Amino acid sequence: MAMVSTSTSSLSLQTKTSFPSQRKAPKPYPKNLYYFSFTSSSTILTSSTPLINSSSIGIRLSISLKSSSTAKYNEVVVDEEMDRIKRLQNGSDVRGVAVEGERGRVVDLTPPVVEAIAESFGEWLLGGGEGGVIRVSLGRDPRISGATLGVAVVAGLARAGCLVFDMGLATTPACFMSTVLAPFGYDASIMMTASHLPYTRNGLKFFTKRGGLTSPEVEEICDRAARKYVNRLATVSTTLPSPPTRVDFMSAYAKHLRDIITQRVNHPLHYDTPLKGFQIIVNAGNGSGGFFTWDVLDKLGADSFGSLHLKPDGMFPNHIPNPEDKTAMALTRAAVLANSADLGIVFDTDVDRSGVVDKSGNPINGDKLIALMAAVVLREHPGTTIVTDARTSMALTRFITDRGGHHCLYRVGYRNVIDKGVQLNKDGIQAHLMMETSGHGALKENHFLDDGAYMVVKIIIEMVRMKLEGSDEGIGSLIEDLDEPLESIELRMNVLSEPRHAKAKAIEAIEAFRNYIEEGKLPGWELDSCGDCWVSEGCLVDSNDAPATVDAHMYRAKVFDEEHGQHGWVHIRQSIHNPNIAVNMQSILPGGCKTMTRVLRERFIVASGVDRILDITQIDNYTES
């Protein structure tokens, strides 16, 4: 028996695990019987969570909620409690600390908080005019807090009047696809994940049939949840009329991916096993991506020997499941070279991002992955627009335009980039690919969904196509002419403020940066537009009378001199995740980044006085190194 205790609500659960279909040997998920119960209240102080990796949320569930009158709160306490819930919003997601283990971080994503958020999401769905019974699917990655918080999600959705369908261990893209693939077609979905963050974190991602929720929509839900959390007056006792319905959606999702590969490869000799003769290594990082090995690759005839870390483990013992992680890429590279494999794949925890390693052992992520996908997409859709975040290189722009495409530079944040692609298509501008440098990538043909597995499917299809055409060069040959910036760096400036005021202070500093450039106080620096997408609304420099709503302020400046013309850029943005400002820059000149940093420091940060509200230690250390 494992216990999580904070104070006055009790919740008991029996679960029996059930997992997606898989090959018989090895069996990565043992079937075990777990029992757990916990008590909690609206005062979130401590939490300890059992190491439970069960994949099913529940057989029997009973809830009793008790909250004392808000009279015990003075106005300050209530405001602090509400702010704490609101700060869990992370752009279009919710993220927080779910178990103890991080120095200096307290547990803030507790079962009562999650229940309030899930209930608020359910009420938001019911208030959207859908009518009838709302059916919501629920998936999660293998984090150790998943079973505990999953109960809270079920309870909250049930209190809102929704029917819940438990998918167990799943991926973020699968959660969305459960709203569109027959015969499932749920009205909405929640994925419990914190992506690549440590095992102590967890979070929620929300979907309807039209895609992921926007930041303003999640803000509305968190505001509602915050009020609900601090104002519970009555004792509520609820017994669910029936447990969540257990569904095996991952098998259907895997078949969906297999069908795409077989149909588009259309292999002339072995249609059903188009990957026969290819060795493909998957590094799942002990997240949710192992299914791609046994339910997709193996069934299509691929040799997946040498794959790494396929067994889900919410402690992530080998490395962070992240295609940007150097250890993850290095281990995958070594496995590809040791086995003379054709391709290596790295997934993040919830498989909405991916990176690859080519047959020569070259890691392909960041700008390289965008270039690879652009090469594939531009072959299928000549002249299309590629939307990226504004941290991509000038070389990537040349790569895209040299192939007849258009490059739209947009705001950092994968949801921003995807939404921009949706907007462009609505305005009659064909944009078939939207990608952020973090590895989030979405395609118009796939519901504008950021799906790491689907991205890999596209790359695999291209790899097989090249082989059928007689080429042995591998997918790395598609980006051989992509230049890399000579210098690239990211620095951070923490906001010197209480958390509740940090966002406003960061915006103040970033708007001062814009004003300094527009007023000509930084000679040779010019505010960058959104590139070649022809639409100004919500772009890097929003020229509309009613600017688009954004989740973080940011600007990019092009940097010129008389000798070299444009030789670099500086991008300054408010972090969505933490109370700081990120400064990214690239240069084609030796020492260019350091020169730009000195100008930024002396002629803007110090001259404007924003150093009084920012910790510029990293800026100082870099300029003095």
Side-chain angles (χ1 to χ4, degrees):
M1 178 73 69
M3 299 293 295
V4 176
S5 179
T6 56
S7 71
T8 57
S9 144
S10 68
L11 202 157
S12 64
L13 167 73
Q14 285 184 336
T15 81
K16 185 174 182 179
T17 63
S18 176
F19 299 95
S21 62
Q22 61 202 53
R23 54 186 178 183
K24 292 184 179 179
K27 289 186 176 181
Y29 310 146
K31 291 187 176 181
N32 298 311
L33 185 67
Y34 297 100
Y35 298 87
F36 100 11
S37 65
F38 68 82
T39 62
S40 58
S41 80
S42 60
T43 303
I44 45 179
L45 298 175
T46 62
S47 175
S48 60
T49 305
L51 302 184
I52 295 179
N53 278 320
S54 63
S55 136
S56 176
I57 295 285
I59 305 298
R60 181 168 52 85
L61 177 64
S62 62
I63 308 161
S64 176
L65 278 172
K66 297 179 180 177
S67 293
S68 59
S69 169
T70 54
K72 76 174 186 177
Y73 294 108
N74 60 36
E75 184 176 346
V76 173
V77 173
V78 170
D79 286 346
E80 288 178 352
E81 291 290 338
M82 291 187 68
D83 284 344
R84 179 157 37 180
I85 307 303
K86 292 178 181 180
R87 288 198 300 270
L88 292 171
Q89 182 187 358
N90 184 75
S92 57
D93 308 340
V94 167
R95 289 184 187 174
V97 180
V99 296
E100 294 176 344
E102 289 188 62
R103 180 176 297 179
R105 295 295 297 264
V106 298
V107 174
D108 52 14
L109 193 70
T110 62
V113 171
V114 169
E115 185 196 15
I117 294 171
E119 183 181 357
S120 298
F121 177 56
E123 291 174 350
W124 181 84
L125 291 170
L126 289 163
E130 298 289 339
V133 177
I134 298 294
R135 301 159 67 243
V136 182
S137 63
L138 172 63
R140 63 184 180 86
D141 72 18
R143 292 171 188 276
I144 61 174
S145 58
T148 305
L149 297 183
V151 174
V153 172
V154 172
L157 290 172
R159 291 185 64 180
C162 300
L163 293 181
V164 184
F165 295 81
D166 173 25
M167 300 195 301
L169 188 72
T171 69
T172 293
C175 281
F176 168 72
M177 292 303 294
S178 73
T179 69
V180 297
L181 278 186
F184 301 91
Y186 302 119
D187 300 294
S189 185
I190 293 178
M191 175 66 180
M192 297 175 53
T193 183
S195 187
H196 61 282
L197 295 179
Y199 76 93
T200 52
R201 309 287 183 93
N202 214 327
L204 304 173
K205 294 185 178 184
F206 307 94
F207 298 93
T208 64
K209 290 179 181 292
R210 60 176 172 78
L213 267 61
T214 64
S215 294
E217 289 169 337
V218 176
E219 182 178 5
E220 177 185 343
I221 289 167
C222 287
D223 286 348
R224 184 196 298 255
R227 293 192 299 271
K228 190 184 301 294
Y229 179 78
V230 301
N231 289 313
R232 293 209 187 274
L233 302 176
T235 299
V236 180
S237 179
T238 303
T239 300
L240 299 185
S242 61
T245 302
R246 181 74 173 95
V247 294
D248 180 13
F249 179 77
M250 288 304 293
S251 293
Y253 173 65
K255 182 180 183 303
H256 167 70
L257 296 178
R258 293 198 308 269
D259 289 345
I260 291 170
I261 295 174
T262 55
Q263 291 166 13
R264 296 187 187 178
V265 169
N266 193 24
H267 202 288
L269 300 178
H270 33 87
Y271 179 87
D272 291 328
T273 54
L275 303 186
K276 184 177 180 181
F278 290 91
Q279 184 171 7
I280 302 174
I281 286 173
V282 173
N283 182 350
N286 302 110
S288 297
F291 85 97
F292 194 81
T293 307
W294 49 76
D295 262 2
V296 179
L297 298 179
D298 289 358
K299 290 185 178 181
L300 293 178
D303 177 3
S304 60
F305 179 80
S307 290
L308 305 167
H309 318 317
L310 303 181
K311 182 178 180 179
D313 186 334
M315 296 296 291
F316 310 125
N318 294 290
H319 58 73
I320 297 171
N322 184 357
E324 295 183 288
D325 181 66
K326 292 181 179 179
T327 301
M329 272 295 180
L331 290 173
T332 309
R333 178 180 185 274
V336 167
L337 294 175
N339 291 279
S340 299
D342 298 283
L343 185 69
I345 300 167
V346 181
F347 287 127
D348 77 337
T349 315
D350 58 326
V351 198
D352 59 358
R353 294 186 298 136
S354 58
V356 297
V357 175
D358 71 12
K359 63 186 297 184
S360 300
N362 299 310
I364 300 178
N365 54 16
D367 278 9
K368 291 181 179 180
L369 184 62
I370 297 174
L372 177 59
M373 288 303 303
V376 173
V377 170
L378 282 166
R379 176 178 170 271
E380 299 171 343
H381 305 284
T384 193
T385 293
I386 311 295
V387 185
T388 74
D389 68 273
R391 294 171 298 180
T392 55
S393 67
M394 295 181 287
L396 178 64
T397 300
R398 288 194 300 272
F399 182 90
I400 291 171
T401 55
D402 285 349
R403 284 158 176 75
H406 301 281
H407 187 195
C408 173
L409 293 167
Y410 196 56
R411 297 181 182 274
V412 175
Y414 74 92
R415 191 72 253 167
N416 293 329
V417 171
I418 293 172
D419 288 347
K420 182 62 176 179
V422 173
Q423 176 196 346
L424 288 174
N425 280 281
K426 287 181 178 178
D427 290 345
I429 299 167
Q430 292 298 307
H432 285 272
L433 174 65
M434 304 106 246
M435 285 199 74
E436 194 188 36
T437 50
S438 65
H440 280 284
L443 291 154
K444 179 181 178 181
E445 69 186 52
N446 190 41
H447 310 280
F448 297 99
L449 173 66
D450 51 320
D451 185 343
Y454 195 91
M455 287 288 170
V456 168
V457 162
K458 294 285 290 185
I459 292 170
I460 288 173
I461 291 170
E462 184 67 15
M463 178 181 70
V464 178
R465 183 195 66 80
M466 293 173 67
K467 188 76 169 181
L468 288 173
E469 292 178 353
S471 172
D472 291 319
E473 293 183 327
I475 52 98
S477 65
L478 297 176
I479 57 171
E480 285 179 341
D481 58 338
L482 175 68
D483 295 326
E484 295 189 55
L486 184 65
E487 294 184 350
S488 181
I489 191 169
E490 178 176 285
L491 302 168
R492 298 271 176 168
M493 300 182 290
N494 288 328
V495 180
L496 303 175
S497 169
E498 294 180 17
R500 67 169 64 187
H501 302 306
K503 183 175 181 179
K505 292 293 184 182
I507 292 173
E508 177 184 334
I510 291 169
E511 289 301 318
F513 175 73
R514 172 182 178 168
N515 292 335
Y516 255 59
I517 295 175
E518 289 183 331
E519 293 168 6
K521 295 180 179 179
L522 296 176
W525 290 41
E526 176 185 318
L527 283 180
D528 206 346
S529 64
C530 61
D532 198 18
C533 75
W534 318 288
V535 177
S536 61
E537 182 181 350
C539 291
L540 296 174
V541 180
D542 195 332
S543 60
N544 288 272
D545 293 334
T549 301
V550 297
D551 50 14
H553 282 67
M554 60 191 75
Y555 296 106
R556 170 165 151 163
K558 297 182 286 188
V559 181
F560 299 81
D561 64 27
E562 292 184 0
E563 181 180 356
H564 305 97
Q566 184 184 354
H567 59 81
W569 55 259
V570 177
H571 185 270
I572 180 170
R573 64 186 170 91
Q574 170 197 348
S575 173
I576 298 175
H577 309 296
N578 298 295
N580 63 46
I581 291 174
V583 180
N584 292 85
M585 60 183 72
Q586 289 186 1
S587 177
I588 61 174
L589 300 178
C593 284
K594 189 163 292 187
T595 298
M596 291 188 295
T597 304
R598 290 194 180 108
V599 171
L600 181 73
R601 183 191 187 283
E602 299 302 325
R603 298 191 182 183
F604 165 62
I605 297 175
V606 174
S608 68
V610 298
D611 57 328
R612 293 191 296 269
I613 60 174
L614 299 175
D615 176 358
I616 62 171
T617 301
Q618 286 192 21
I619 299 285
D620 289 340
N621 291 341
Y622 180 62
T623 57
E624 295 168 4
S625 63

